[in-house]
Amino acid sequence: MSPSGFKMELSKRIEVFLTTGETQQSKTPSKRRSSSKTQAPLTLDTVIGKNHRCSQEVRAFFKEAIHPTFHFSTYIQNYFKENVGKTYRDAVKAWYEEEEERKKQPSYQKEIAPQFEYNRFIRDFFNDPKNKGKGRDDAIAAWKQLKLQPGSNQYRS
């Protein structure tokens, strides 16, 4: 079985193998790793390329351009994927227009990508009214208990 691909894709291939005995190939084309360093220095005029990577170098650039607490949210990662040909200046503008504005909304809740099961579980645990007054240790204990069970790692009330 191919170990390549995204975590969720790999989990699905393992599930198919364990239930049917069939092996599947990765649907994600393998990427050639290039040097981790960008050839030219990053600027606001840097163009977002087709194979854009959210590297430590790119993170450092945006921490300086936007704010020291900048992080690669799902929103900004999707922006890079969907806006090939635009510049980092456009990405900074989009960050302020979308990301910061969304945070001001009372119903705003940061999206957690599916592969981050633990983080999703902890947030869902605390969002459950039945857990009002419980602490972090209670949430971690519930996560550890769930991990011992077969099946999904999604929070269930």
Side-chain angles (χ1 to χ4, degrees):
M1 182 181 313
S2 171
S4 66
F6 298 106
K7 182 178 179 182
M8 297 307 289
E9 180 188 344
L10 183 57
S11 294
K12 186 66 178 169
R13 284 200 316 268
I14 292 169
E15 180 183 344
V16 168
F17 176 75
L18 292 174
T19 56
T20 68
E22 296 177 24
T23 58
Q24 298 177 329
Q25 295 302 314
S26 173
K27 294 177 187 171
T28 306
S30 61
K31 297 178 186 175
R32 286 197 169 159
R33 297 275 179 177
S34 59
S35 169
S36 63
K37 294 289 180 189
T38 306
Q39 300 303 324
L42 299 177
T43 70
L44 289 173
D45 295 320
T46 297
V47 175
I48 299 168
K50 183 179 177 185
N51 295 319
H52 183 272
R53 294 185 52 113
C54 295
S55 66
Q56 292 301 321
E57 181 183 17
V58 174
R59 180 190 315 268
F61 173 83
F62 281 103
K63 280 186 169 197
E64 188 173 314
I66 293 176
H67 193 270
T69 60
F70 170 84
H71 61 279
F72 289 119
S73 64
T74 303
Y75 169 77
I76 202 71
Q77 289 172 333
N78 288 337
Y79 182 89
F80 289 130
K81 290 177 192 173
E82 297 165 4
N83 290 282
V84 171
K86 290 193 176 184
T87 66
Y88 278 12
R89 183 181 320 276
D90 298 318
V92 168
K93 183 179 177 191
W95 174 269
Y96 284 115
E97 288 176 356
E98 298 293 327
E99 192 75 4
E100 292 300 319
E101 284 302 313
R102 290 183 326 141
K103 287 181 181 178
K104 293 176 185 174
Q105 298 173 8
S107 63
Y108 171 75
Q109 194 170 49
K110 183 178 170 184
E111 182 181 341
I112 301 175
Q115 68 267 32
F116 301 111
E117 295 173 327
Y118 173 80
N119 295 353
R120 292 178 129 208
F121 178 91
I122 297 296
R123 179 167 69 192
D124 293 345
F125 178 91
F126 285 116
N127 284 341
D128 186 341
K130 292 180 182 177
N131 296 324
K132 187 172 177 110
K134 292 187 178 179
R136 185 172 181 267
D137 289 341
D138 298 312
I140 292 170
W143 168 254
K144 288 179 179 178
Q145 185 63 35
L146 178 68
K147 290 293 289 175
L148 296 174
Q149 308 301 316
S152 170
N153 290 328
Q154 188 173 0
Y155 176 79
R156 294 180 294 274
S157 181

